[in-house]
Amino acid sequence: MAQRFEEAEARLFGDIYICRKCNARNRTKNPEKTSCRKCGYDDLRKKNDQFAG
Ligand SMILES: [Zn+2]
């Protein structure tokens, strides 16, 4: 469903960011200017950073 589509987009475009607080996916080109659409937390990580640091 929509979730699978978002994951496919993340692989294609790499502009999916994950909220460090609630782990919601947020699609944005400007993560530093974007707050989580779900909880409003403003610390987002790149989706593919999950194995780094
Ligand atoms: Zn959040």
Side-chain angles (χ1 to χ4, degrees):
M1 292 168 64
Q3 183 170 333
R4 288 182 61 187
F5 186 70
E6 285 187 18
E7 290 175 357
E9 283 197 328
R11 286 194 297 271
L12 288 171
F13 302 112
D15 60 353
I16 301 292
Y17 293 83
I18 306 298
C19 174
R20 290 183 184 273
K21 188 174 183 181
C22 76
N23 295 320
R25 279 183 293 276
N26 295 268
R27 185 173 55 201
T28 176
K29 298 288 189 186
N30 298 293
E32 295 186 0
K33 296 181 179 177
T34 302
S35 297
C36 173
R37 63 180 164 77
K38 191 169 184 180
C39 74
Y41 197 62
D42 63 4
D43 190 1
L44 307 178
R45 64 170 172 82
K46 197 78 165 62
K47 186 178 197 312
N48 293 329
D49 278 357
Q50 55 195 329
F51 298 116

